[in-house]
Amino acid sequence: MRFHEFITEEQQVTTDVDQLVADIKKGEIAPTVVQAISNYVRKKLATLQEPAPQQPQEPESQAPTVAKTQPQPVTTQLPPQGTEEPEENPETTAIKEAAMQLPPGVTLKPDELRKFLLKGGFKSEEINHIVTFAYRQTIELTCQKIAQMKMYKKGAADTLTNIFLKVPGTLSQRNHIAQVLTKTGVLDLGKFTQPHKGKFDDLIMAEYKSNPIVLNLKAELKNRSDLPTQVSAASKGAGEDLISILGNPVNKLSPGDLNINGKEFEIKAMGARLRGFGGNIVYGDPTRIYTEWATLVGQAIGPEGQSVMAGHGTSLKKYFHFSLANIQSLNDAVDVSKNPQCGALLRQAFDLLLETLYPMSNSKMRETILHSFDRKSGKFDFDTFRKNWFLFSYDYYKLTTADKKTGESMYAIMFFNQGTEDYQIVTDKKQIETNWDEYQLGTDLFNWTNPTGQAPKITLGKETRERRIPTKKV
């Protein structure tokens, strides 16, 4: 039951009907739904004029359904002479008679609908069914519209409908936000145009920042990446569905993840990777290039350095993967090298490697990593090397994802931590470098035998995952 303290059931029904009528006047109830309710009300009131049946009645009619065909005229049978009927309020009788005069298929005006529902003899439970139907059906139709606008498939509309019906709030409040998402959305897209950082709530328009429906939608959507899209071969990460649904105009397009207000954005959530360079799909069998690289590095660090690496359990004789531990081992090996050409040999080795792995790069781009090494001693700062590797990968990523026809690259990358809801929108690697201490880079920079050449994972802030409690078997 829908009782509130100090409010009678009749008062609550009147409040609900008044809210429905107000929403119809604002255009927030689908016209097909208003038509279906009008047909239902007309038929129901006309039926109430018929004589009481001799057999037991079936349970009360359920809520109306949206008509797919033009409704047929209702045939009204007048009661036979001499049949006694219970006394009825003259106003109710007049309303029923007025309903019988309505032509088939008419759509009631909001105030007429209010009069028929509240004064036409409907029971409270049936009115509740009608009100609930109006909102649920409109929310479902609106979610279908949102999915179509955002280039999602029908399954996404069904999921979105379930989310709207699950989040707390009145049906009218939830329906209102659904309508807003088809128009302005609730995100201030102007804030996406400038590089900056903040909390996700900073992107929400002022009038919706404390709206419970919006905040609950955010909580439901921020970790999702499973809404099926119509864009072929378009994989999605967490954060994309959140921005796509809450913002308008926002669509899933290529080359970036999202087209936000006409600009291409890539959304990178916790543990995301920038697209790799093709791995051995690009350079084929890694044996040749690895042998050349390992030979130059071995000459650079000398026997002393190789002995240090062996002490760390690493060696140049087998594939030297660029993991956190291995790079630290190489760093220690350089420290003991007695080769005066160590710096030049290491730069030569890595320039050869980078040119092979990243064939579209130029010498200026590769210098981002190469200047990590001291030109004479070859010594390098362990953390700086890893940072520079990622910054180089960022530049290369923007280069390789540019439009092949126009040469235009994506506008920005938005790093988003869905756990803390922190984000940073960057249009240049310098903006990442300035805030590097706030990023967490994965352990592996590069793996020789990985066929896809996956780039390292990157997270703005600390990567956290919701703990999943295993289901106990009964």
Side-chain angles (χ1 to χ4, degrees):
M1 298 297 291
R2 300 168 45 170
F3 292 101
H4 294 280
E5 192 174 4
F6 305 124
I7 298 179
T8 66
E9 182 176 12
E10 182 179 357
Q11 290 172 326
Q12 183 61 56
V13 168
T14 300
T15 298
D16 291 346
V17 171
D18 286 342
Q19 184 62 63
L20 175 62
V21 168
D23 289 342
I24 293 174
K25 290 180 177 179
K26 290 188 294 185
E28 293 194 348
I29 301 297
T32 53
V33 173
V34 180
Q35 176 69 70
I37 295 174
S38 298
N39 293 343
Y40 179 80
V41 168
R42 180 186 181 279
K43 291 179 181 180
K44 183 69 177 181
L45 291 178
T47 302
L48 291 176
Q49 288 291 80
E50 297 177 359
Q54 298 300 316
Q55 298 298 324
Q57 289 270 9
E58 291 292 325
E60 268 192 14
S61 303
Q62 297 300 312
T65 57
V66 175
K68 295 184 179 179
T69 58
Q70 187 70 17
Q72 300 299 314
V74 177
T75 304
T76 304
Q77 182 179 352
L78 297 176
Q81 293 290 331
T83 301
E84 293 185 3
E85 293 185 319
E87 292 185 5
E88 194 172 60
N89 184 296
E91 183 181 4
T92 300
T93 301
I95 289 174
K96 291 179 181 179
E97 291 176 351
M100 292 173 59
Q101 304 301 318
L102 293 173
V106 69
T107 298
L108 295 173
K109 294 180 180 179
D111 291 331
E112 291 177 331
L113 179 60
R114 181 186 187 280
K115 179 177 64 176
F116 284 135
L117 289 176
L118 296 179
K119 303 295 184 179
F122 285 94
K123 295 181 179 179
S124 297
E125 185 177 357
E126 190 166 11
I127 294 175
N128 287 338
H129 284 322
I130 292 171
V131 171
T132 301
F133 164 82
Y135 286 114
R136 290 176 67 97
Q137 190 70 23
T138 298
I139 289 173
E140 181 178 343
L141 293 172
T142 305
C143 288
Q144 292 174 8
K145 182 177 180 180
I146 293 171
Q148 186 178 19
M149 290 171 57
K150 309 292 182 179
M151 301 182 72
Y152 285 108
K153 295 181 180 178
K154 184 182 181 301
D158 296 338
T159 300
L160 192 56
T161 299
N162 291 333
I163 292 174
F164 263 105
L165 295 179
K166 182 175 71 172
V167 297
T170 68
L171 284 170
S172 175
Q173 291 168 340
R174 285 176 272 176
N175 179 61
H176 172 69
I177 295 301
Q179 303 300 316
V180 170
L181 296 184
T182 67
K183 299 170 185 174
T184 62
V186 297
L187 299 183
D188 184 353
L189 300 187
K191 292 185 177 180
F192 284 82
T193 60
Q194 297 297 326
H196 70 286
K197 61 180 181 177
K199 291 281 188 180
F200 189 83
D201 285 0
D202 298 338
L203 299 172
I204 299 176
M205 293 181 185
E207 59 265 42
Y208 301 111
K209 282 185 183 294
S210 59
N211 185 290
I213 310 298
V214 172
L215 296 179
N216 278 290
L217 281 175
K218 178 192 68 175
E220 287 287 335
L221 290 169
K222 69 179 183 179
N223 290 306
R224 299 192 75 111
S225 59
D226 59 343
L227 298 184
T229 176
Q230 296 179 28
V231 182
S232 61
S235 59
K236 295 193 281 87
E240 293 180 45
D241 288 334
L242 169 67
I243 297 171
S244 179
I245 297 300
L246 296 188
N248 198 35
V250 177
N251 291 296
K252 171 69 178 175
L253 294 173
S254 58
D257 280 349
L258 296 174
N259 184 304
I260 301 177
N261 214 15
K263 296 182 180 294
E264 299 292 343
F265 282 76
E266 186 84 24
I267 311 298
K268 294 299 179 186
M270 291 190 302
R273 303 178 191 266
L274 298 185
R275 189 179 305 168
F277 39 80
N280 57 30
I281 294 176
V282 171
Y283 55 79
D285 184 356
T287 303
R288 178 191 60 80
I289 182 63
Y290 179 76
T291 300
E292 293 182 29
W293 179 85
T295 299
L296 289 170
V297 173
Q299 292 174 3
I301 64 177
E304 300 86 359
Q306 294 191 50
S307 178
V308 169
M309 290 183 67
H312 286 300
T314 59
S315 171
L316 294 173
K317 294 180 180 180
K318 54 185 178 181
Y319 285 118
F320 178 89
H321 299 307
F322 288 80
S323 65
L324 197 64
N326 283 3
I327 296 174
Q328 192 162 14
S329 171
L330 177 60
N331 191 27
D332 292 342
V334 170
D335 284 342
V336 300
S337 174
K338 297 180 180 179
N339 188 341
Q341 299 298 317
C342 181
L345 288 169
L346 281 179
R347 285 175 60 89
Q348 183 181 348
F350 276 89
D351 192 35
L352 172 67
L353 173 65
L354 295 171
E355 189 175 9
T356 304
L357 301 182
Y358 302 91
M360 295 177 64
S361 67
N362 55 42
S363 58
K364 183 178 179 181
M365 291 175 63
R366 296 193 292 273
E367 188 62 31
T368 301
I369 294 178
L370 297 181
H371 80 241
S372 303
F373 302 96
D374 184 275
R375 287 183 176 272
K376 292 183 178 180
S377 68
K379 293 181 180 180
F380 63 95
D381 179 78
F382 170 73
D383 291 325
T384 301
F385 174 79
R386 282 169 48 80
K387 176 185 71 174
N388 289 343
W389 186 287
F390 180 80
L391 296 177
F392 167 84
S393 300
Y394 170 87
D395 276 346
Y396 194 79
Y397 180 68
K398 290 194 70 174
L399 175 67
T400 56
T401 55
D403 189 283
K404 293 181 180 179
K405 293 182 179 179
T406 65
E408 184 178 358
S409 64
M410 72 181 67
Y411 175 72
I413 293 181
M414 176 178 176
F415 293 97
F416 175 56
N417 186 315
Q418 63 266 41
T420 63
E421 298 187 7
D422 290 304
Y423 72 89
Q424 183 180 7
I425 296 174
V426 299
T427 57
D428 184 89
K429 68 182 180 184
K430 292 180 180 179
Q431 296 151 12
I432 302 175
E433 188 173 14
T434 300
N435 297 280
W436 183 251
D437 290 343
E438 299 179 20
Y439 284 85
Q440 187 179 71
L441 189 64
T443 57
D444 291 348
L445 296 180
F446 164 63
N447 186 315
W448 286 94
T449 56
N450 189 315
T452 61
Q454 283 188 320
K457 291 183 177 181
I458 185 78
T459 295
L460 174 63
K462 186 176 181 180
E463 183 174 352
T464 57
R465 300 289 180 183
E466 292 184 2
R467 183 180 177 185
R468 295 185 179 181
I469 302 175
T471 305
K472 295 183 179 180
K473 295 184 179 180
V474 180

